[in-house]
Amino acid sequence: MKRRTLIIPTVCTIFLGTSTVFASNDMTGFPTIEQKEEKKVMIPSQNPHPAFTWNSSIIPVSSILHPSSPRGAGMVEAPLQQIDQIMNQAISEKVMPGAVTFVARGGKIVKHDAYGYAARYTDGQFTEMENPILTQTDTIYDLASISKIFTSTAAMILFEKGLFQLDDPVAKYIPEFAANGKDNVTIRQLMTHTSGFTAWIPLYAQGNSREERIKQIFNQPLKNAPGSTYEYSDLNMITLGALIEKLSGMRQDEFVKKYITEPLGLKDTMYNPPASLKHRIAATEYQAVPNRGLVWGEVHDENAWSLDGVAGHAGVFSTAEDLAKFAHIFINDGKYGGKSILKPETVKLMLENQNEAFPGDDHGLGWELGQGWMMDALSEGTYSFGHTGYTGTSIVVNPNNKTIAILLTNRVHPSRSTISTNQTRRLFARQVADSIPVSIPGKESAWFAGYGDKVNRAMEADLELKEDTKLTFETWHLIENAWDFGNVEVKIDGKWQTLIQFTGASKGWESKEVVLPSRAEKVRFVYKTDTSTNSRGWYVLNPTLGNGKELSFTTNEWQLRNY
């Protein structure tokens, strides 16, 4: 695994769904709150049949991460290689100055590469450093809100010790938290962002010490009634961090080190990294307010900085490989390398959807579930989990495929007013998903509709029918349920009519039969997607008329492929 030289791609293919235009600027209403680009209600669909390569039920999971070829992990190499183009293009368009990608399946590392610069600019005007620092695969990144998963895991370690119940009021353990109507807010509501807290306050501009600022959170009134609304809020996790400290008698960084990072051997994961590591750390923003200058080696988030760099919502620094080791416990029953961090039943609890009352805001305990806006084709409803960070970090885990995909960037270097990383996140996840093959019956090649936003991709055949005729074909599909569609349509008297429609997930390969009216002039298979988020896609095999004649397509925008 190595650095990837910056090469500006000249061609983008419709089957990757890539684009030379990336998403619009990140919203900045809340200084360091990660914003979803689009909310979608995740409409449940049936889980794909486990007998096939995608979602195979026999994927072995090793106890530790180790390098492997894509073939050794049951993956296809070409889509993983194409990630390099996506990263280089994003860097050339100033989405971010640098990045590290990391992909593993079943513990087998199939991609771990670095791109661009870890530190490039001296100020917010993009003044180039005299000696910029190239990104390395072991570059240490400010994880921003991915820190919330460390906080949630720390809390659940205390839960396993019997120190609290999820539906206990926070005020049971922190009496002063009851101020201003918060006496009924539960610990579960903190972890699922349903407490009623507002998203953010400028804590760094209040109080004179860490203790005073945490008390300010305890005194903060609610925006909504507890349990009535989902609103992603840093205040929830700051409070959860304070609860960890109250119940354990240790500062949060000390607790995380003792019970998570040290047992897992995460030597590059920490709060407040020492100055000796600065040359390995990705620089972030040049901040004028508060007047911090170039933030490099200190936490970027202003509120976490004002809390001495140790907070429940932000503050953790890590590498891609360390973060992958941490994520591995969530596909390996809470263990890594023989060290048990959580019980299997606790892992299961953390990954269950706690927010069924708020469709589209599906959430486990800390983890976000089924968020296609950043998980794209790796998302399988609420089975997949992950998180993002405002600095440009993201992690997606597809447990059905035992796959971890990590993208670490410093997109806020040197300014937060840059292009959103959400499109890059989606394209990265899409390529990882595409590298997990679909098994084609008989080892044949099948027609694949490809990927892309707002596509209307067809393969069309002329018809000369003397009577109503059966059309048979086999299909496999994992289509974004109720948002994207696969149609079989016929053209009669100049107008297209839908005979059968597919969305959601098939049960593996399915045999289908439709009747083509004798008046039909043409038949087509057409794949239609909305403005964002693709699932793994739609395959069609052996489309054949009742007389045994295979359809001959006069127009075909699909791709014939064997995976």
Side-chain angles (χ1 to χ4, degrees), residues 349-427:
L349 178 62
M350 290 183 71
L351 300 179
E352 289 177 354
N353 187 9
Q354 306 286 324
N355 281 3
E356 291 184 352
F358 306 104
D361 292 314
D362 304 285
H363 225 281
L365 298 174
W367 289 103
E368 295 188 345
L369 307 178
Q371 299 300 308
W373 63 276
M374 59 97 166
M375 297 177 179
D376 203 77
L378 278 177
S379 177
E380 292 188 83
T382 57
Y383 294 106
S384 298
F385 55 95
H387 215 286
T388 59
Y390 190 83
T391 50
T393 57
S394 57
I395 178 171
V396 181
V397 183
N398 182 304
N400 291 339
N401 283 294
K402 306 296 187 288
T403 299
I404 296 168
I406 293 169
L407 173 61
L408 301 183
T409 84
N410 53 337
R411 73 102 191 157
V412 295
H413 179 55
S415 169
R416 69 186 65 190
S417 299
T418 53
I419 301 170
S420 170
T421 51
N422 287 345
Q423 177 74 344
T424 308
R425 286 165 169 160
R426 278 200 297 270
L427 294 177

Side-chain angles (χ1 to χ4, degrees), residues 46-65:
Q46 291 180 308
N47 202 23
H49 196 282
F52 297 93
T53 307
W54 176 275
N55 283 358
S56 170
S57 61
I58 55 172
I59 302 170
V61 178
S62 62
S63 64
I64 61 171
L65 295 168

Side-chain angles (χ1 to χ4, degrees), residues 430-483:
R430 186 176 298 176
Q431 292 304 113
V432 176
D434 196 50
S435 71
I436 303 172
V438 171
S439 180
I440 313 296
K443 298 184 179 180
E444 297 183 56
S445 292
W447 293 108
F448 176 59
Y451 303 99
D453 299 336
K454 297 181 70 175
V455 303
N456 192 19
R457 194 168 292 145
M459 52 181 183
E460 182 179 306
D462 294 332
L463 296 174
E464 294 181 0
L465 304 178
K466 296 180 180 180
E467 59 184 3
D468 292 356
T469 302
K470 292 180 180 178
L471 170 65
T472 60
F473 58 93
E474 293 179 80
T475 180
W476 185 102
H477 59 87
L478 181 55
I479 300 172
E480 189 186 18
N481 199 46
W483 294 96

Side-chain angles (χ1 to χ4, degrees), residues 86-101:
I86 294 168
M87 294 302 122
N88 288 332
Q89 180 178 326
I91 291 169
S92 73
E93 296 183 9
K94 295 189 182 300
V95 176
M96 68 274 195
V100 173
T101 57

Side-chain angles (χ1 to χ4, degrees), residues 104-150:
R105 190 182 193 205
K108 296 179 178 180
I109 304 168
V110 297
K111 190 171 185 64
H112 187 195
D113 291 308
Y115 313 81
Y117 293 91
R120 186 172 183 178
Y121 307 107
T122 62
D123 57 34
Q125 305 305 312
F126 291 81
T127 302
E128 297 268 352
M129 290 180 174
E130 185 175 342
N131 296 301
I133 298 176
L134 290 169
T135 308
Q136 306 295 329
T137 53
D138 66 349
T139 293
I140 298 170
Y141 282 86
D142 179 343
L143 296 184
S145 284
I146 293 178
S147 304
K148 294 178 171 71
I149 307 303
F150 286 83

